[in-house]
Amino acid sequence: MVGLGFGAEFIPIYQAHPNAEVTAICRRDQTRLDKCGDQFEIGGRYTSFDDLLADPDVDAVHINSPIPDHAWMSLKALDAGKHVMCTVPMATTIEDCQKIVQKVHDTGLHYMMAETVVYSRECLFIKQLYESGELGKIQYLAASHPQDMDGWPAYWEKMIPMHYATHVVSPCLGLVGGLAEYVSCFGSGTVREDIAKKSGNPFAVETCHIKIQDTDLTAHIWRFLYDVARQYRESFDVYGTQKSFEWTLVENEPHVIHTAKKPEHEIAEKVEVPDFAHLLPESIRRFTLPQEIHDADHLSFLQGGGHGGSHPHLVHEFVSSVLENRRPLPDAVTSANWTCVGICAHESAMKGGQVVQLPEFTLSRDRTACLTE
């Protein structure tokens, strides 16, 4: 485990998983490293990432470091022969995304981007509706992620909204198993001068349309980080011919299902989304519940509601993909596609909405090799 702020939430899940153990932890600050190691009774402790990678008992690394560290740490870990799960986004440049995809192809190792939303109970519920045929034919997808980042670590002031867009890209593409082909994005409003200077982004809001490859579908997503009044929300709306799902406008209130051809006053119905812990090994099912969060005051949970119970699903998918020698969801190419949507979207916004094609290396999953392929 690398990065022990938000990342520490995953430690007890791995420890409880029947097929994994936490051999070592890594954090720059020795005092905080030891505090975490003592709390979870972990002997392997490193303040140096290179020393961690040299540990022969480590088969895989789960990276939860700040965003600027994601790409180089993932590449170093792959070079060291370690499988990688890394929190979002994969990188903040197309070049780094391509390097990771190529490295996975060359080494045959596993890379998974730890995208929480596609494993949230809401997305698992929508997926169930879709796969059972209840939604009918999907006609349109939309997602939003407004979030006020004032008070977060200072590096967020340098971030571009669409460079942290995987929470809205992933459910739209993941539901239909699609890849983004091209995007068009507009900027709206202006962010305050100090943020604009640090980030190079003048817009308060970025709003993007995604063309999904080999389908008749488009998806609409929007993001902001500063200077817009809105409660935190990671929403995902799906519109089908038979039923549609709309995310609640207010956190912790019921979502809404719309059913076609009913009397007008009966079309909309509030729905309580069930938990999907039954999909997991029994030993880690409890971790879908908020009471298992050990640092409930962390900003990731004050804004985010525990990420929809997704953490144990992420752990189980990563561990299982390695043991079963199969591609994780999302694999390296899919992770690159989801990440590059935002990078290309910002490029489009800076060009007044000009269409920008996704890079070729993100458009074919055949580029990702598993060990037996």
Side-chain angles (χ1 to χ4, degrees):
M1 296 297 304
V2 182
L4 303 176
F6 159 68
E9 297 297 333
F10 290 90
I11 292 175
I13 306 174
Y14 280 109
Q15 290 178 320
H17 195 283
N19 296 318
E21 62 178 304
V22 181
T23 300
I25 53 176
C26 182
R27 186 170 190 166
R28 296 180 181 92
D29 185 288
Q30 184 71 57
T31 301
R32 293 182 177 181
L33 174 70
D34 287 335
K35 181 179 178 181
C36 183
D38 292 346
Q39 178 181 0
F40 294 108
E41 299 180 347
I42 300 167
R45 305 177 189 184
Y46 295 98
T47 57
S48 163
F49 186 56
D50 288 338
D51 290 345
L52 172 72
L53 296 181
D55 187 334
D57 292 330
V58 173
D59 300 309
V61 296
H62 185 154
I63 297 168
N64 288 283
S65 55
I67 289 171
D69 296 331
H70 290 182
W72 73 263
M73 280 190 163
S74 295
L75 289 165
K76 265 202 166 187
L78 291 165
D79 276 333
K82 316 297 185 184
H83 303 293
V84 173
M85 176 141 81
C86 182
T87 191
V88 301
M90 176 186 249
T92 55
T93 68
I94 289 173
E95 292 75 18
D96 280 342
C97 289
Q98 186 169 16
K99 288 177 183 177
I100 294 170
V101 169
Q102 187 64 51
K103 188 69 69 176
V104 169
H105 179 271
D106 292 344
T107 62
L109 292 165
H110 293 251
Y111 173 94
M112 177 178 170
M113 186 173 68
E115 174 47 64
T116 56
V117 173
V118 288
Y119 288 100
S120 68
R121 58 181 64 89
E122 287 86 359
C123 281
L124 294 174
F125 177 65
I126 296 168
K127 180 182 178 183
Q128 179 177 274
L129 293 177
Y130 175 55
E131 292 181 346
S132 70
E134 287 189 57
L135 298 179
K137 180 183 181 297
I138 301 297
Q139 302 284 40
Y140 186 62
L141 304 146
S144 70
H145 182 185
Q147 185 171 8
D148 183 358
M149 303 305 292
D150 277 321
W152 283 69
Y155 73 81
W156 281 99
E157 296 178 353
K158 300 178 182 179
M159 281 294 295
I160 291 163
M162 277 293 169
H163 284 188
Y164 192 77
T166 63
H167 290 333
V168 282
V169 175
S170 62
C172 296
L173 299 180
L175 179 67
V176 297
L179 296 171
E181 182 179 358
Y182 56 83
V183 300
S184 174
C185 181
F186 287 93
S188 182
T190 52
V191 77
R192 63 185 185 264
E193 186 176 349
D194 63 314
I195 298 297
K197 186 176 181 179
K198 291 175 182 177
S199 66
N201 167 58
F203 308 118
V205 180
E206 292 188 310
T207 178
C208 172
H209 274 90
I210 306 166
K211 176 65 176 68
I212 303 178
Q213 185 184 43
D214 300 327
T215 74
D216 59 1
L217 292 172
T218 59
H220 174 238
I221 62 171
W222 60 272
R223 288 286 286 116
F224 74 70
L225 300 176
Y226 295 97
D227 296 340
V228 182
R230 179 62 169 88
Q231 183 188 40
Y232 176 95
R233 187 179 188 231
E234 285 180 19
S235 77
F236 178 39
D237 301 332
V238 182
Y239 298 90
T241 54
Q242 297 178 24
K243 287 185 178 181
S244 298
F245 177 96
E246 287 187 332
W247 203 279
T248 179
L249 289 172
V250 179
E251 187 82 2
N252 298 320
E253 291 190 359
H255 305 295
V256 178
I257 292 283
H258 299 263
T259 303
K261 311 308 179 188
K262 282 189 172 184
E264 191 66 27
H265 68 283
E266 296 180 9
I267 290 174
E269 178 184 1
K270 293 181 179 180
V271 60
E272 294 291 340
V273 173
D275 195 49
F276 282 82
H278 65 277
L279 300 178
L280 299 166
E282 187 173 357
S283 63
I284 63 170
R285 290 176 184 174
R286 69 185 187 274
F287 293 104
T288 64
L289 302 175
Q291 56 261 37
E292 291 296 332
I293 297 170
H294 87 276
D295 184 9
D297 292 329
H298 193 281
L299 282 169
S300 292
F301 298 108
L302 292 175
Q303 295 181 343
H307 297 144
S310 61
H311 294 180
H313 293 281
L314 289 168
V315 167
H316 185 55
E317 172 65 10
F318 180 52
V319 171
S320 298
S321 72
V322 173
L323 291 175
E324 297 166 9
N325 191 32
R326 61 169 175 81
R327 298 175 186 179
L329 177 65
D331 63 10
V333 170
T334 304
S335 300
N337 187 264
W338 292 357
T339 299
C340 288
V341 165
I343 298 170
C344 293
H346 179 64
E347 179 185 342
S348 172
M350 296 298 285
K351 296 178 178 178
Q354 178 180 314
V355 168
V356 175
Q357 300 282 333
L358 269 289
E360 187 65 30
F361 74 91
T362 74
L363 297 177
S364 173
R365 294 190 181 92
D366 293 338
R367 288 293 308 279
T368 301
C370 285
L371 298 176
T372 59
E373 293 181 338

